[in-house]
Amino acid sequence: MAKSGLAARLYRGEAGLNIVGRRKLWFTVAGVLVLIAALSFVVRGFNPGIEFAGGNSFQVPASVGTLDDAERTLNQALAAKGGGVEVVTAQKIGSTSGDSYEFRTAQLTPTQAVDVKNELARDFGLDAGQISGNQVSKAWGDQVTSRALLGLVIFVAVVALYLVVRFEWRMAAAAIVSLFMNLILTAGIYSLIGFEVTPSTIIGFLTILGFALYDVVVVFDKVQENVRGITANNNQTYGEAANLALNQSLMRSLNTSVVALLPVGGLLFIGAGLLGAGTLKDLGLVLFVGMAVAFLTSILLATPLLTVLKNQEPRIQAHNKRVETRRGAIARGELTPKGSAPRPASGAEPTDAEAALAGVAPKVGARPTGKRPTGARGGRPGGGGNRPGGAKRR
């Protein structure tokens, strides 16, 4: 029979991906990415929107021409009346009174703002009342940031309390580190590429935390199920049980991420890109980037970090040592478990049942071996009951 494809094995939790076993690689990659993000924060910084940096905005009717033509005309007016200030962002927005173009510039004095507005009205052949101009203070952006930080602190505190009550403090610590890693990497992408940071971006940052937490809880719930009573036997280490849980829940996490990214991608690429709904761009962009990063951190960081923390626990350390000692003794031929099957011929691979009886490490991603049923359907010869030869009493 042909081997199943990767997708089928992922659905059955039998892909055999050794994620926890390669945790040093994931931690190294995460450390390098955090270092790059930190350097970008210092060297490049962020591209703050008008709400954070302060500035002016102008709105003109879309009937004046294309967005590029209107932006070019405004830059000419700014060069003549605004002291060389240029347009920072330009987008098309819709309203009940009709579509219009919104342009944002750096800070202008009140006199410069009025002169630019009048110059625009003259160039477009419009009445000055048809062009709206507003001045935005960065104090409002500072207030949004402080409220967002307060919300972040409350969110992390509530999440930590929930995870400690639902699971344990080590799972809570691993989940919180994964959440902060998600924020740092998403912010690093914003800094490196130069995406504009707006109040919608801050709201999006808080939104992706909830998605990242959901993915981590799904995996941790499976980990808790697999490691329940693990110290009662010497066949599997904590890391192997956690890795099995990752393989069993990987396809669910992938499906959840894809289903969540599809509408966000539609919001970003269709709504903001094709339809020109610029007000959707900031929120859609941070959600798309953050959700993609959240999937990676929940799989490659949270559970491997949990394994490291649990391996520091004396009870788990002793259990892991017993497992490794037993396997070493079996490999050297010093120990033959009671009821083990005969050794296979030279060069032959042991069956799953033989491996389970021998106490060797289970194949990564393999499901636990079930007990063979008794009776005629379980392989025992039919008829005869307990009588020798299976002869029936006449």
Side-chain angles (χ1 to χ4, degrees), residues 69-334:
D69 292 338
E71 181 179 356
R72 191 178 306 110
T73 302
L74 177 55
N75 275 324
Q76 293 173 357
L78 289 170
K81 304 292 185 179
V85 173
E86 295 182 347
V87 174
V88 177
T89 61
Q91 62 181 357
K92 182 179 180 180
I93 58 177
S95 62
T96 55
S97 58
D99 294 340
S100 60
Y101 300 137
E102 182 183 56
F103 302 97
R104 296 179 178 181
T105 71
Q107 193 78 45
L108 297 171
T109 64
T111 302
Q112 288 175 327
V114 172
D115 292 341
V116 169
K117 182 178 177 181
N118 293 333
E119 185 72 13
L120 275 179
R122 185 180 64 81
D123 293 340
F124 288 134
L126 301 173
D127 185 83
Q130 295 179 269
I131 300 176
S132 62
N134 298 301
Q135 187 171 6
V136 180
S137 172
K138 66 176 184 178
W140 186 75
D142 295 339
Q143 184 180 8
V144 171
T145 303
S146 61
R147 295 294 179 87
L149 290 175
L150 178 60
L152 176 62
V153 171
I154 296 175
F155 176 84
V156 170
V158 173
V159 165
L161 179 62
Y162 167 77
L163 292 176
V164 169
V165 174
R166 174 64 177 82
F167 299 107
E168 58 169 309
W169 72 264
R170 291 176 180 84
M171 287 188 172
I176 297 301
V177 171
S178 176
L179 292 180
F180 277 109
M181 179 65 69
N182 189 23
L183 287 179
I184 293 173
L185 294 183
T186 304
I189 293 174
Y190 261 73
S191 177
L192 283 170
I193 300 179
F195 293 143
E196 186 181 22
V197 179
T198 66
S200 296
T201 305
I202 303 300
I203 295 172
F205 267 99
L206 298 179
T207 304
I208 61 178
L209 289 178
F211 177 83
L213 176 65
Y214 168 79
D215 217 15
V216 170
V217 168
V218 167
V219 177
F220 280 4
D221 185 69
K222 192 63 179 178
V223 171
Q224 188 182 52
E225 178 183 337
N226 284 8
V227 301
R228 187 176 292 117
I230 190 173
T231 56
N233 63 77
N234 296 330
N235 296 328
Q236 197 176 42
T237 65
Y238 187 95
E240 291 165 352
N243 191 76
L244 176 60
L246 271 178
N247 278 271
Q248 292 170 336
S249 57
L250 180 60
M251 202 62 193
R252 178 177 177 179
S253 297
L254 181 60
N255 287 337
T256 301
S257 299
V258 171
V259 170
L261 284 173
L262 284 177
V264 175
L267 183 73
L268 177 61
F269 298 110
I270 298 178
L274 297 180
L275 301 181
T279 53
L280 302 177
K281 182 186 69 174
D282 298 331
L283 182 60
L285 181 61
V286 68
L287 289 178
F288 191 85
V289 173
M291 286 181 176
V293 174
F295 169 72
L296 296 176
T297 55
S298 63
I299 297 297
L300 301 180
L301 185 64
T303 305
L305 180 58
L306 170 64
T307 302
V308 171
L309 294 176
K310 289 295 292 185
N311 285 342
Q312 305 303 314
E313 188 177 348
R315 181 176 64 93
I316 299 299
Q317 283 183 344
H319 167 73
N320 292 341
K321 187 175 181 179
R322 288 196 303 270
V323 173
E324 297 298 334
T325 301
R326 185 168 183 264
R327 289 176 184 170
I330 294 173
R332 294 189 299 269
E334 300 172 358

Side-chain angles (χ1 to χ4, degrees), residues 33-46 183-192 205:
L33 292 178
V34 169
L35 180 60
I36 294 174
L39 290 175
S40 181
F41 296 158
V42 175
V43 177
R44 291 180 57 87
F46 292 95
L183 287 179
I184 293 173
L185 294 183
T186 304
I189 293 174
Y190 261 73
S191 177
L192 283 170
F205 267 99

